PDB file of all heavy atoms in Angstrom:
ATOM      1  N   GLU T  67     -70.697 -61.441  42.061  1.00  0.00           N
ATOM      2  CA  GLU T  67     -71.660 -60.690  42.873  1.00  0.00           C
ATOM      3  C   GLU T  67     -71.130 -60.513  44.287  1.00  0.00           C
ATOM      4  O   GLU T  67     -70.603 -61.443  44.897  1.00  0.00           O
ATOM      5  CB  GLU T  67     -73.013 -61.410  42.909  1.00  0.00           C
ATOM      6  CG  GLU T  67     -74.089 -60.656  43.695  1.00  0.00           C
ATOM      7  CD  GLU T  67     -75.459 -61.297  43.589  1.00  0.00           C
ATOM      8  OE1 GLU T  67     -75.770 -61.862  42.509  1.00  0.00           O
ATOM      9  OE2 GLU T  67     -76.208 -61.236  44.584  1.00  0.00           O
ATOM     10  N   PHE T  69     -72.062 -58.061  48.105  1.00  0.00           N
ATOM     11  CA  PHE T  69     -73.043 -57.185  48.751  1.00  0.00           C
ATOM     12  C   PHE T  69     -72.405 -56.452  49.919  1.00  0.00           C
ATOM     13  O   PHE T  69     -71.345 -56.842  50.432  1.00  0.00           O
ATOM     14  CB  PHE T  69     -74.295 -57.951  49.195  1.00  0.00           C
ATOM     15  CG  PHE T  69     -74.104 -58.925  50.334  1.00  0.00           C
ATOM     16  CD1 PHE T  69     -74.223 -58.521  51.665  1.00  0.00           C
ATOM     17  CD2 PHE T  69     -73.837 -60.265  50.075  1.00  0.00           C
ATOM     18  CE1 PHE T  69     -74.075 -59.419  52.707  1.00  0.00           C
ATOM     19  CE2 PHE T  69     -73.683 -61.180  51.112  1.00  0.00           C
ATOM     20  CZ  PHE T  69     -73.801 -60.766  52.432  1.00  0.00           C
ATOM     21  N   SER T  84     -79.782 -53.563  56.019  1.00  0.00           N
ATOM     22  CA  SER T  84     -80.242 -54.287  54.832  1.00  0.00           C
ATOM     23  C   SER T  84     -79.044 -54.575  53.916  1.00  0.00           C
ATOM     24  O   SER T  84     -78.016 -53.901  53.972  1.00  0.00           O
ATOM     25  CB  SER T  84     -81.298 -53.485  54.076  1.00  0.00           C
ATOM     26  OG  SER T  84     -80.753 -52.275  53.574  1.00  0.00           O
ATOM     27  N   GLU T  85     -79.196 -55.600  53.081  1.00  0.00           N
ATOM     28  CA  GLU T  85     -78.129 -55.972  52.153  1.00  0.00           C
ATOM     29  C   GLU T  85     -78.359 -55.312  50.799  1.00  0.00           C
ATOM     30  O   GLU T  85     -79.446 -55.397  50.226  1.00  0.00           O
ATOM     31  CB  GLU T  85     -78.084 -57.491  51.971  1.00  0.00           C
ATOM     32  CG  GLU T  85     -77.729 -58.260  53.233  1.00  0.00           C
ATOM     33  CD  GLU T  85     -77.748 -59.765  53.018  1.00  0.00           C
ATOM     34  OE1 GLU T  85     -77.950 -60.202  51.863  1.00  0.00           O
ATOM     35  OE2 GLU T  85     -77.577 -60.509  54.004  1.00  0.00           O
ATOM     36  N   ILE T  86     -77.318 -54.660  50.290  1.00  0.00           N
ATOM     37  CA  ILE T  86     -77.353 -54.071  48.956  1.00  0.00           C
ATOM     38  C   ILE T  86     -76.410 -54.902  48.074  1.00  0.00           C
ATOM     39  O   ILE T  86     -75.197 -54.857  48.239  1.00  0.00           O
ATOM     40  CB  ILE T  86     -76.923 -52.598  48.960  1.00  0.00           C
ATOM     41  CG1 ILE T  86     -77.751 -51.789  49.965  1.00  0.00           C
ATOM     42  CG2 ILE T  86     -77.032 -52.010  47.551  1.00  0.00           C
ATOM     43  CD1 ILE T  86     -79.228 -51.744  49.670  1.00  0.00           C
ATOM     44  N   HIS T  87     -76.990 -55.692  47.186  1.00  0.00           N
ATOM     45  CA  HIS T  87     -76.234 -56.592  46.320  1.00  0.00           C
ATOM     46  C   HIS T  87     -75.986 -55.947  44.960  1.00  0.00           C
ATOM     47  O   HIS T  87     -76.832 -55.198  44.458  1.00  0.00           O
ATOM     48  CB  HIS T  87     -77.015 -57.887  46.080  1.00  0.00           C
ATOM     49  CG  HIS T  87     -77.081 -58.791  47.273  1.00  0.00           C
ATOM     50  ND1 HIS T  87     -76.547 -60.061  47.270  1.00  0.00           N
ATOM     51  CD2 HIS T  87     -77.620 -58.607  48.509  1.00  0.00           C
ATOM     52  CE1 HIS T  87     -76.759 -60.630  48.450  1.00  0.00           C
ATOM     53  NE2 HIS T  87     -77.417 -59.760  49.219  1.00  0.00           N
ATOM     54  N   ASP T 117     -84.196 -57.550  41.893  1.00  0.00           N
ATOM     55  CA  ASP T 117     -85.173 -57.814  42.951  1.00  0.00           C
ATOM     56  C   ASP T 117     -84.963 -56.856  44.126  1.00  0.00           C
ATOM     57  O   ASP T 117     -83.834 -56.653  44.584  1.00  0.00           O
ATOM     58  CB  ASP T 117     -85.048 -59.251  43.451  1.00  0.00           C
ATOM     59  CG  ASP T 117     -85.463 -60.264  42.386  1.00  0.00           C
ATOM     60  OD1 ASP T 117     -86.150 -59.859  41.432  1.00  0.00           O
ATOM     61  OD2 ASP T 117     -85.083 -61.445  42.512  1.00  0.00           O
ATOM     62  N   GLY T 118     -86.051 -56.307  44.625  1.00  0.00           N
ATOM     63  CA  GLY T 118     -85.984 -55.449  45.810  1.00  0.00           C
ATOM     64  C   GLY T 118     -85.631 -54.002  45.528  1.00  0.00           C
ATOM     65  O   GLY T 118     -85.589 -53.186  46.450  1.00  0.00           O
ATOM     66  N   ILE T 119     -85.378 -53.660  44.267  1.00  0.00           N
ATOM     67  CA  ILE T 119     -85.130 -52.272  43.895  1.00  0.00           C
ATOM     68  C   ILE T 119     -86.370 -51.759  43.166  1.00  0.00           C
ATOM     69  O   ILE T 119     -86.874 -52.400  42.243  1.00  0.00           O
ATOM     70  CB  ILE T 119     -83.888 -52.124  42.989  1.00  0.00           C
ATOM     71  CG1 ILE T 119     -82.657 -52.693  43.696  1.00  0.00           C
ATOM     72  CG2 ILE T 119     -83.669 -50.660  42.610  1.00  0.00           C
ATOM     73  CD1 ILE T 119     -82.320 -52.052  45.031  1.00  0.00           C
ATOM     74  N   SER T 166     -79.542 -55.096  43.569  1.00  0.00           N
ATOM     75  CA  SER T 166     -80.721 -55.734  44.161  1.00  0.00           C
ATOM     76  C   SER T 166     -80.645 -55.654  45.683  1.00  0.00           C
ATOM     77  O   SER T 166     -79.614 -55.291  46.248  1.00  0.00           O
ATOM     78  CB  SER T 166     -80.828 -57.210  43.720  1.00  0.00           C
ATOM     79  OG  SER T 166     -79.699 -57.946  44.159  1.00  0.00           O
ATOM     80  N   SER T 167     -81.742 -55.980  46.325  1.00  0.00           N
ATOM     81  CA  SER T 167     -81.790 -55.982  47.789  1.00  0.00           C
ATOM     82  C   SER T 167     -82.808 -57.018  48.237  1.00  0.00           C
ATOM     83  O   SER T 167     -84.009 -56.853  47.999  1.00  0.00           O
ATOM     84  CB  SER T 167     -82.178 -54.604  48.334  1.00  0.00           C
ATOM     85  OG  SER T 167     -82.281 -54.633  49.743  1.00  0.00           O
ATOM     86  N   PRO T 168     -82.374 -58.106  48.876  1.00  0.00           N
ATOM     87  CA  PRO T 168     -83.307 -59.163  49.264  1.00  0.00           C
ATOM     88  C   PRO T 168     -84.459 -58.687  50.142  1.00  0.00           C
ATOM     89  O   PRO T 168     -85.574 -59.190  50.033  1.00  0.00           O
ATOM     90  CB  PRO T 168     -82.407 -60.147  50.029  1.00  0.00           C
ATOM     91  CG  PRO T 168     -81.034 -59.889  49.517  1.00  0.00           C
ATOM     92  CD  PRO T 168     -80.977 -58.428  49.213  1.00  0.00           C
ATOM     93  N   GLN T 169     -84.188 -57.692  50.989  1.00  0.00           N
ATOM     94  CA  GLN T 169     -85.241 -57.187  51.888  1.00  0.00           C
ATOM     95  C   GLN T 169     -85.968 -55.981  51.315  1.00  0.00           C
ATOM     96  O   GLN T 169     -86.868 -55.420  51.949  1.00  0.00           O
ATOM     97  CB  GLN T 169     -84.624 -56.795  53.250  1.00  0.00           C
ATOM     98  CG  GLN T 169     -83.816 -57.893  53.906  1.00  0.00           C
ATOM     99  CD  GLN T 169     -82.309 -57.735  53.651  1.00  0.00           C
ATOM    100  OE1 GLN T 169     -81.890 -57.216  52.620  1.00  0.00           O
ATOM    101  NE2 GLN T 169     -81.505 -58.208  54.603  1.00  0.00           N
ATOM    102  N   GLY T 170     -85.574 -55.560  50.120  1.00  0.00           N
ATOM    103  CA  GLY T 170     -86.038 -54.286  49.588  1.00  0.00           C
ATOM    104  C   GLY T 170     -87.535 -54.166  49.397  1.00  0.00           C
ATOM    105  O   GLY T 170     -88.133 -53.129  49.714  1.00  0.00           O
ATOM    106  N   GLU T 171     -88.165 -55.210  48.890  1.00  0.00           N
ATOM    107  CA  GLU T 171     -89.600 -55.119  48.625  1.00  0.00           C
ATOM    108  C   GLU T 171     -90.389 -54.920  49.908  1.00  0.00           C
ATOM    109  O   GLU T 171     -91.337 -54.129  49.965  1.00  0.00           O
ATOM    110  CB  GLU T 171     -90.077 -56.372  47.892  1.00  0.00           C
ATOM    111  CG  GLU T 171     -91.529 -56.294  47.453  1.00  0.00           C
ATOM    112  CD  GLU T 171     -91.930 -57.436  46.533  1.00  0.00           C
ATOM    113  OE1 GLU T 171     -91.113 -58.345  46.277  1.00  0.00           O
ATOM    114  OE2 GLU T 171     -93.093 -57.424  46.070  1.00  0.00           O
ATOM    115  N   GLU T 172     -90.003 -55.613  50.964  1.00  0.00           N
ATOM    116  CA  GLU T 172     -90.696 -55.478  52.241  1.00  0.00           C
ATOM    117  C   GLU T 172     -90.401 -54.123  52.883  1.00  0.00           C
ATOM    118  O   GLU T 172     -91.296 -53.467  53.431  1.00  0.00           O
ATOM    119  CB  GLU T 172     -90.277 -56.614  53.182  1.00  0.00           C
ATOM    120  CG  GLU T 172     -91.102 -56.713  54.459  1.00  0.00           C
ATOM    121  CD  GLU T 172     -92.581 -56.990  54.205  1.00  0.00           C
ATOM    122  OE1 GLU T 172     -92.903 -57.669  53.217  1.00  0.00           O
ATOM    123  OE2 GLU T 172     -93.405 -56.504  55.011  1.00  0.00           O
ATOM    124  N   LEU T 173     -89.122 -53.705  52.836  1.00  0.00           N
ATOM    125  CA  LEU T 173     -88.749 -52.427  53.433  1.00  0.00           C
ATOM    126  C   LEU T 173     -89.448 -51.254  52.758  1.00  0.00           C
ATOM    127  O   LEU T 173     -89.785 -50.261  53.408  1.00  0.00           O
ATOM    128  CB  LEU T 173     -87.225 -52.229  53.349  1.00  0.00           C
ATOM    129  CG  LEU T 173     -86.366 -53.131  54.234  1.00  0.00           C
ATOM    130  CD1 LEU T 173     -84.900 -52.935  53.917  1.00  0.00           C
ATOM    131  CD2 LEU T 173     -86.633 -52.843  55.715  1.00  0.00           C
TER     132      LEU T 173
END
Side-chain angles (χ1 to χ4, degrees):
E67 182 173 326
F69 69 88
S84 64
E85 296 178 5
I86 306 298
H87 288 242
D117 293 342
I119 302 301
S166 62
S167 177
Q169 306 98 330
E171 186 171 4
E172 190 62 32
L173 290 173

